[in-house]
Amino acid sequence: GQNIDQPTEMTATEGAIVQINCTYQTSGFNGLFWYQQHAGEAPTFLSYNVLDGLEEKGRFSSFLSRSKGYSYLLLKELQMKDSASYLCAVKDSNYQLIWGAGTKLIIKP
Amino acid sequence: GAVVSQHPSWVICKSGTSVKIECRSLDFQATTMFWYRQFPKQSLMLMATSNEGSKATYEQGVEKDKFLINHASLTLSTLTVTSAHPEDSSFYICSARTGGESGANVLTFGAGSRLTVL
């Protein structure tokens, strides 16, 4: 079966750095997405990786290793507004999105 | 950027009644829209793919007769929950592909509709 694993919850301190990991086992691979979802709201797009390596976008970076079936989202200079769930999603060989359950990130002052 | 408008944001209904949720693409045409359901602390679950001018494609386990999808125009898709029951209470979210980086076909989501069935 297809599976996306990410930690259920993480806690970090304002101003610090946090890394949210995502491992996947899917039938084929056509890209990996990270979305941010604040409580009670719809997800918003953060990043897309299709090739191995690091994609940097401001305070957020996303890394992909296709051989390891692994990605991480790195958040720097954490702000209170970064408290949200972070969803990892993989596009499989049929171009269907397989979603992880999300990682709830709690930021403490 | 592209905006997907979803209405209503909140709806409370009695058991046995039907509820319609609208999803509109603003300033762009969406031949395909996706309907998701999300239970608390769970992942997004794709319910169906809505295709303009043709029948929707439902995921396994989703009842076609209960969740009616209509995609009558290039900017509007509707989801009707028929004969709603308390177990249908959930967060329903629509989305559309809006292109994006390197052909990623990023999904833009509507704000979601929280349905509570009493």
Side-chain angles (χ1 to χ4, degrees):
Chain A
Q2 311 211 84
N3 197 46
I4 308 277
D5 285 317
Q6 40 180 143
T8 305
E9 186 174 298
M10 299 181 71
T11 302
T13 305
E14 189 177 15
I17 299 173
V18 71
Q19 177 176 310
I20 303 174
N21 296 325
C22 170
T23 57
Y24 61 89
Q25 294 156 330
T26 57
S27 56
F29 178 85
N30 280 297
L32 184 144
F33 298 80
W34 284 96
Y35 282 81
Q36 180 190 59
Q37 186 178 23
H38 285 99
E41 298 181 12
T44 56
F45 171 76
L46 286 180
S47 69
Y48 170 70
N49 295 71
V50 67
L51 299 176
D52 291 349
L54 187 69
E55 295 279 344
E56 296 186 78
K57 199 185 286 186
R59 294 189 299 114
F60 293 6
S61 302
S62 57
F63 171 83
L64 174 68
S65 169
R66 288 173 295 170
S67 62
K68 295 181 179 179
Y70 167 70
S71 172
Y72 67 72
L73 180 70
L74 190 71
L75 292 75
K76 303 176 184 176
E77 301 169 15
L78 286 170
Q79 301 175 9
M80 297 303 293
K81 66 179 182 179
D82 297 330
S83 292
S85 286
Y86 291 85
L87 308 175
C88 173
V90 171
K91 194 181 290 185
D92 68 10
S93 57
N94 294 319
Y95 295 89
Q96 299 295 318
L97 271 179
I98 312 300
W99 292 87
T103 298
K104 182 179 180 181
L105 178 63
I106 300 168
I107 309 295
K108 295 185 175 180
Chain B
V3 175
V4 174
S5 174
Q6 188 172 341
H7 177 82
S9 301
W10 295 83
V11 57
I12 300 173
C13 70
K14 292 182 179 180
S15 184
T17 61
S18 294
V19 173
K20 179 186 283 188
I21 301 170
E22 293 187 348
C23 182
R24 294 180 184 273
S25 58
L26 305 183
D27 300 326
F28 74 99
Q29 295 180 335
T31 55
T32 302
M33 288 186 177
F34 304 91
W35 286 96
Y36 288 87
R37 182 167 55 182
Q38 187 177 34
F39 292 105
K41 298 184 180 181
Q42 293 188 23
S43 179
L44 291 170
M45 292 176 54
L46 180 64
M47 298 175 66
T49 301
S50 171
N51 304 300
E52 188 270 334
S54 65
K55 292 182 179 179
T57 304
Y58 289 81
E59 295 300 303
Q60 192 172 6
V62 178
E63 299 175 56
K64 302 178 184 181
D65 295 332
K66 181 168 184 61
F67 299 99
L68 301 179
I69 291 174
N70 184 283
H71 198 150
S73 77
L74 287 169
T75 59
L76 174 64
S77 175
T78 60
L79 168 68
T80 301
V81 183
T82 62
S83 187
H85 291 285
E87 56 265 31
D88 298 325
S89 298
S90 186
F91 191 51
Y92 293 87
I93 315 174
C94 69
S95 68
R97 289 200 185 103
T98 52
E101 308 164 12
S102 305
N105 285 324
V106 170
L107 290 179
T108 296
F109 287 86
S113 300
R114 187 162 300 282
L115 171 64
T116 301
V117 185
L118 302 177

